[in-house]
Amino acid sequence: ENIAIVQKGYEKFGSGDIPGLISLFSDDAKWSVPSVENAPHGGTFSGPSGLAEFFHLLDESEEITRFEPLEFIAQNDRVVVLGEFASTVRSTGKSFESEWVHVFHLRDGKIAGFSEHYDTAKAADAFRKAATAEA
């Protein structure tokens, strides 16, 4: 059942249904992603408004060109998902790819916690603007 809830979330993300995705989370849910220099969407976001803010910042800063959940592992109230993605940073035009791990904590049929782990060094390189020479 927990895997089905998480899979539904990925389906909603893939179709661009962010309000539908957010509806799968509890009102006190915590969403945590690594902070990357120059990327506005790192840190911890709380509740539906925090999740909406995260997805708005993500959409403003990156174009996700490939996003593939590959393996789902469930035990008790946790679902771990292994996957891959590719993205282009809008402000720099640089692209990067990474494998990722998503860890979900579920409670009473809702997602109560989420954390993401990926290659932040690749992301930092893509978000880094080229140095400009001053005359």
Side-chain angles (χ1 to χ4, degrees):
E1 180 183 326
N2 286 343
I3 286 179
I5 294 166
V6 170
Q7 287 174 327
K8 185 183 286 188
Y10 286 116
E11 290 169 14
K12 292 188 179 297
F13 177 74
S15 68
D17 181 7
I18 301 306
L21 170 60
I22 292 170
S23 74
L24 299 174
F25 285 78
S26 65
D27 288 341
D28 63 346
K30 299 274 190 246
W31 180 279
S32 181
V33 295
S35 293
V36 173
E37 188 174 358
N38 299 316
H41 55 280
T44 299
F45 299 81
S46 300
S49 62
L51 273 66
E53 178 186 3
F54 167 81
F55 285 107
H56 173 74
L57 293 170
L58 176 65
D59 185 54
E60 277 190 340
S61 61
E62 291 183 50
E63 178 186 356
I64 308 291
T65 55
R66 184 171 56 87
F67 185 85
E68 297 179 52
L70 300 172
E71 188 174 350
F72 294 79
I73 304 157
Q75 185 172 350
N76 300 324
D77 62 354
R78 300 249 186 244
V79 176
V80 176
V81 185
L82 308 177
E84 302 172 342
F85 78 100
S87 181
T88 300
V89 176
R90 296 185 193 280
S91 63
T92 65
K94 295 179 187 176
S95 296
F96 70 102
E97 298 181 8
S98 179
E99 295 177 334
W100 50 256
V101 177
H102 291 168
V103 180
F104 294 87
H105 173 232
L106 289 96
R107 182 181 67 231
D108 300 326
K110 293 277 194 174
I111 301 167
F114 168 87
S115 63
E116 179 179 43
H117 310 275
Y118 65 96
D119 190 336
T120 56
K122 286 183 178 180
D125 286 343
F127 273 94
R128 189 172 299 116
K129 295 184 185 211
T132 56
E134 293 187 26

